[in-house]
Each structure stands twice: as structure tokens, then as C-alpha cells.
């Protein structure tokens, strides 16, 4: 699968001919000024929770591309109320088969209020299963023991985990999370964007390596086959 990092917790995964975009936050990200928002192709926009740093560009992208927004019920219908035509609401534990594969919406330990103060439902993560492989995006979350269920019952080829600490897991808890989900290939997100979440990247990569795990930290705009 072709993985492109757009900074913060925004990334795209190309599955077959379909482009999946996660948590679009580009125009307000100082580290992503070189990314051309209007050039991003997408068929689906998956949003983990209602915080601004996960959806600031979503409405614009959804309306330009006519993509489908996939999120929890509250967020999906919030976009519908703004005139987004294609939306797919989900809730914890639910799975749906799309044309690129299946998506399961799973628990995250965080909060979720939309930018205008609307209740944003429960924050979540996604388990995406496709013919090209499976991946897990945890969303913004603390380490939590339900991640063990993913390790026990799902086969994950790579996982996208927050590592910036303060608002989410930090590096040490992300390593434990990778044990829980039984996945040794981790893409780190949600770091360096703001002063609260600045990390030492070399130290982070080394800590994962010491546990026999690969922490992949991409530069903004970089694409890698995973
Ligand atoms: Ni958040
Ligand atoms: Mn966040």
C-alpha cells in the first residue's frame, strides 16, 4: 500500500485505485505549508474524532472531490448538515464493507468536540482490511488495554500510532501499544506540530529499534510503500 504523510496526523493510503485520506489538517499546519491541498486526490476521508487538528480541511476537500466522509455518527452527520453529500456514520465495534475493503471503528481513549462546540461523539480509530493488507490507525488515544483485542483477533501489517505525548500516548506507551496489537511496523504521527508535542525523533526510533520494532517517521509530503 502506498502511504503518504501530510503532517501531524494526516496521511493518505492508496488501496488499489482508491485513495483514503485520514484526519486532514494541512492548511493550518506550519510544517505542511508546501503541501498543495487542491492537488490531493481522495475517494474517502476518514476522521477519527472532532478536534480541529484532525478535520480543519475536511469540508473543503470533501466538497471538491465529492469523497465520502467516514467517521462516527455525530461527525458524519455534522458534515452532512454542512452540505457534504456522501457520508457514512459508524460507531464502536461496527464494521462496514466499502469498495476498497472493510473498516471497523474501534475505541480510542480521548475526547471529541467539534470546532463549533457541537458534541463530537466518541473518539475512535480504524482497522482497515483490504486485499493488499491490513492496517490500524489508532487516532488520538491513550494506551488502553482493548488494544490487546486487536492483537488477539486481527492481523495488522502496519499501524499508525500517535507518539507526541501530552495529548496522546508518548513513545514509551506507543511501544507497549505495538506489543498489544502485535505489530512491529509503526508509523508515528501527532508529533512536532506544536510545542507540547515536540519529540526527539532519533531517540524515538532507537527506543523502538531496541525492542525489535521499526518506527517509521516520514517527512511531510513523503510517500512510502508499506
Ligand atoms: Ni484530539
Ligand atoms: Mn489531535
Amino acid at each position: 500500500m502506498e502511504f503518504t504523510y501530510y503532517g501531524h496526523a494526516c496521511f493518505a493510503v492508496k488501496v488499489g485505485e482508491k485513495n483514503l485520506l485520514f484526519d486532514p489538517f494541512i492548511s493550518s499546519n506550519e510544517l505542511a505549508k508546501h503541501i498543495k491541498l487542491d492537488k490531493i486526490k481522495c475517494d474517502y476521508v476518514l476522521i477519527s474524532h472532532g478536534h480541529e487538528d484532525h478535520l480543519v480541511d475536511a469540508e473543503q476537500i470533501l466538497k471538491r472531490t465529492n469523497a465520502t466522509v467516514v467517521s462516527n455518527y455525530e461527525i458524519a452527520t455534522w458534515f452532512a448538515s454542512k452540505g457534504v453529500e456522501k457520508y457514512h456514520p459508524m460507531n464502536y465495534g461496527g464494521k462496514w464493507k466499502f469498495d476498497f475493503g472493510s473498516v471497523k471503528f474501534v475505541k480510542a481513549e480521548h475526547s471529541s468536540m467539534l470546532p463549533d462546540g457541537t458534541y463530537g461523539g466518541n473518539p475512535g480509530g480504524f482497522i482497515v482490511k483490504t486485499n493488499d493488507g491490513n492496517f490500524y490507525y489508532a487516532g488520538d488515544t491513550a494506551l488502553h488495554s482493548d488494544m490487546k483485542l486487536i492483537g488477539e483477533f486481527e492481523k495488522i501489517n502496519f499501524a499508525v500510532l500517535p507518539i507526541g505525548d501530552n495529548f496522546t500516548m508518548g513513545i514509551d506507551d506507543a511501544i507497549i501499544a505495538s506489543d498489544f496489537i502485535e505489530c512491529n511496523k509503526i508509523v508515528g504521527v501527532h508529533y512536532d506540530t506544536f510545542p507540547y508535542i515536540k519529540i526527539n525523533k532519533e531517540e524515538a526510533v532507537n527506543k523502538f529499534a531496541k525492542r525489535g520494532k521499526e518506527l517509521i517517521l516520514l517527512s511531510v509530503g513523503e510517500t512510502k510503500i508499506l
Side-chain angles (χ1 to χ4, degrees), residues 8 49 51 53-54 110 140 190:
H8 197 50
H49 66 294
H51 290 157
D53 61 318
H54 296 260
H110 193 66
D140 279 10
H190 215 275

Side-chain angles (χ1 to χ4, degrees), residues 184-205:
N184 290 333
K185 186 181 278 193
I186 305 299
V187 181
V189 296
H190 215 275
Y191 65 92
D192 278 4
T193 322
F194 316 114
Y196 285 128
I197 58 174
K198 286 250 191 300
I199 66 159
N200 181 329
K201 293 201 273 276
E202 195 185 328
E203 187 182 279
V205 169

Side-chain angles (χ1 to χ4, degrees), residues 28 142 155 170 184 220:
S28 309
K155 175 97 198 84
N184 290 333
V220 177

Side-chain angles (χ1 to χ4, degrees), residues 2 40 52 57 81 83 116 120 145 167-168 194:
E2 194 181 282
I40 294 175
E52 198 160 27
D57 298 313
S81 77
D116 62 2
S145 56
F167 298 117
T168 67
F194 316 114

